[in-house]
Amino acid sequence: MSHPKPFVIAIDGPSASGKGVTSRRLAAMLGLLTVDTGAMYRTLAWHCLRMKVDVNDDKKVVALCRKWKTSLVVAEGHVRLLVDGYYPAQEIRTSEASAAVAHVAQIRVVRDWMKAKQRECIQFGSLVMEGRDIGSNIFPETDYKFFLDASPEVRKLRREREGVKEDVHARDKRDSSRAHSPLMPSLGALIVDNSHHTVQETCDLMLQEINKRRKANGLKPLKAAA
Ligand code: C5P
């Protein structure tokens, strides 16, 4: 029996648009793996901080990125990037790492490196991958593309509830205006404003859209686990 070809559900959007929680719920419903590509960029930012590399010095960041020792593993349903065998779960969420990440993410060589790693994730199976350029640049060939958004007020409130003190607006601005694969809805992405939707409502709507697109291609619908 031939195995079905692995596929990718691409979820892009600005900070606090609900990408993380939505990806995890959708992946759990469908039995897929998640990939948090923001965590990969955050890991490089954290690695720069601990190696005392100035994130504004593109050449030094590139040199570090070229020689760091990483591996991809699957743990608890997520594909993770490890550095020297370690996943810095807490360290990448600090305000220092958050302030540094958009600097390393605008460097072309870094983005090329990340693209290669992110495409490698498909070796583990079908994925729900979230980020800023998944539909436009990482897996542009996928039929399942979503751009999540929410009003600035709702996004600010979500971050406050998480206890995160950060100017996410400044980070979004940097992400949207950079030269290499900026944050924007990709061609063919369904834009979902989830300001007033629950996570489950958003996932149901996405699954409906995925199955509409599968039907148009003569594919069997995906079924949510009961
Ligand atoms: O999603 P998260 O807020 O963790 O992403 C952190 C940062 O990583 C973003 O603000 C952006 O600068 C960068 N990023 C990116 N492309 C992605 C994912 C994240 O540039 N695909």
Side-chain angles (χ1 to χ4, degrees), residues 41-75:
Y41 285 95
R42 285 172 179 273
T43 300
L44 177 60
W46 163 76
H47 188 55
C48 288
L49 295 174
R50 74 175 179 148
M51 300 307 280
K52 309 258 179 290
V53 164
D54 179 359
V55 292
N56 291 299
D57 188 332
D58 291 13
K59 276 196 182 140
K60 290 204 172 125
V61 175
V62 167
L64 191 68
C65 181
R66 285 202 165 119
K67 65 173 196 258
W68 67 337
K69 295 214 164 35
T70 64
S71 51
L72 287 172
V73 295
V74 175

Side-chain angles (χ1 to χ4, degrees), residues 30 207 210-212 214-215 218-224:
L30 299 174
L207 182 54
I210 290 167
N211 281 336
K212 200 167 99 188
R214 288 180 70 86
K215 192 172 176 189
L219 295 168
K220 278 197 205 145
L222 300 181
K223 288 211 174 75

Side-chain angles (χ1 to χ4, degrees), residues 158-173:
R158 286 177 184 166
R159 277 297 183 250
E160 281 169 8
R161 280 205 200 113
E162 288 167 6
V164 177
K165 280 206 181 67
E166 194 213 339
D167 186 356
V168 283
H169 178 68
R171 184 147 61 89
D172 285 340
K173 207 165 150 208

Side-chain angles (χ1 to χ4, degrees), residues 22 28 36 55 127 160 166 172 177 180 204:
T22 305
D36 174 357
V55 292
L127 310 167
E160 281 169 8
E166 194 213 339
D172 285 340
S177 58
H180 310 298
D204 290 344

Side-chain angles (χ1 to χ4, degrees), residues 14-193:
S15 315
S17 58
K19 299 184 302 292
V21 69
T22 305
S23 305
R24 290 191 293 276
R25 176 79 61 91
L26 191 64
M29 282 165 65
L30 299 174
L32 309 178
L33 296 167
T34 65
V35 189
D36 174 357
T37 61
M40 294 185 173
Y41 285 95
R42 285 172 179 273
T43 300
L44 177 60
W46 163 76
H47 188 55
C48 288
L49 295 174
R50 74 175 179 148
M51 300 307 280
K52 309 258 179 290
V53 164
D54 179 359
V55 292
N56 291 299
D57 188 332
D58 291 13
K59 276 196 182 140
K60 290 204 172 125
V61 175
V62 167
L64 191 68
C65 181
R66 285 202 165 119
K67 65 173 196 258
W68 67 337
K69 295 214 164 35
T70 64
S71 51
L72 287 172
V73 295
V74 175
E76 294 156 22
H78 313 291
V79 182
R80 288 189 173 141
L81 181 75
L82 308 187
V83 190
D84 298 322
Y86 177 63
Y87 181 61
Q90 310 292 328
E91 297 90 328
I92 60 174
R93 304 289 160 194
T94 62
S95 46
E96 289 78 14
S98 297
V101 64
H103 293 274
V104 304
Q106 51 82 33
I107 304 172
R108 190 184 54 79
V109 178
V110 167
R111 300 205 71 84
D112 290 347
W113 189 95
M114 291 287 173
K115 179 171 181 172
K117 274 288 151 204
Q118 289 161 14
R119 286 193 65 92
E120 271 178 39
C121 294
I122 196 92
Q123 68 182 291
F124 299 111
S126 295
L127 310 167
V128 180
M129 184 175 277
E130 55 135 324
R132 303 292 188 289
D133 62 340
I134 311 306
S136 60
N137 182 43
I138 308 300
F139 282 102
E141 68 271 35
T142 185
D143 275 332
Y144 317 125
K145 300 184 190 185
F146 297 91
F147 188 88
L148 296 192
D149 209 351
S151 69
E153 297 74 30
V154 168
R155 294 195 290 122
K156 188 162 173 271
L157 210 69
R158 286 177 184 166
R159 277 297 183 250
E160 281 169 8
R161 280 205 200 113
E162 288 167 6
V164 177
K165 280 206 181 67
E166 194 213 339
D167 186 356
V168 283
H169 178 68
R171 184 147 61 89
D172 285 340
K173 207 165 150 208
R174 198 177 281 279
D175 288 342
S176 307
S177 58
R178 68 181 172 223
H180 310 298
S181 43
L183 166 70
M184 61 173 169
S186 60
L187 204 68
L190 179 74
I191 300 175
V192 180
D193 184 327

